[in-house]
Amino acid sequence: MEKMRPMLVDAQVDSTAKIATQTTGEFHVARAGKVTRIKAEPSVLRTEQLSDDELLRLAARGSPP
């Protein structure tokens, strides 16, 4: 939170308590002295992290015909 404090210094309200308690998918946008809460829904596409080796193997295989 201390690293974010300079970004929030111009906000008209102290939003650090809100940010500290936000849940997964919640974000706060600080703009023009106002802090707005945004709730993002999960994507319909499931993603997964690939290792470098797996990524290179898939890239070498090329795209399907």
Side-chain angles (χ1 to χ4, degrees):
M1 290 305 301
E2 289 304 314
K3 290 181 180 180
M4 294 178 63
R5 198 167 303 280
M7 293 185 295
L8 302 172
V9 73
D10 292 333
Q12 296 170 350
V13 296
D14 182 13
S15 58
T16 54
K18 293 178 185 177
I19 293 172
T21 60
Q22 68 189 21
T23 60
T24 302
E26 288 184 338
F27 304 91
H28 288 78
V29 176
R31 179 177 32 201
K34 295 182 181 181
V35 178
T36 306
R37 178 184 168 266
I38 297 175
K39 176 73 175 172
E41 297 299 325
S43 174
V44 294
L45 299 175
R46 188 178 68 90
T47 61
E48 63 182 79
Q49 185 71 36
L50 298 176
S51 69
D52 289 345
D53 291 338
E54 181 70 6
L55 186 61
L56 290 171
R57 186 183 70 73
L58 290 171
R61 194 170 73 178
S63 59

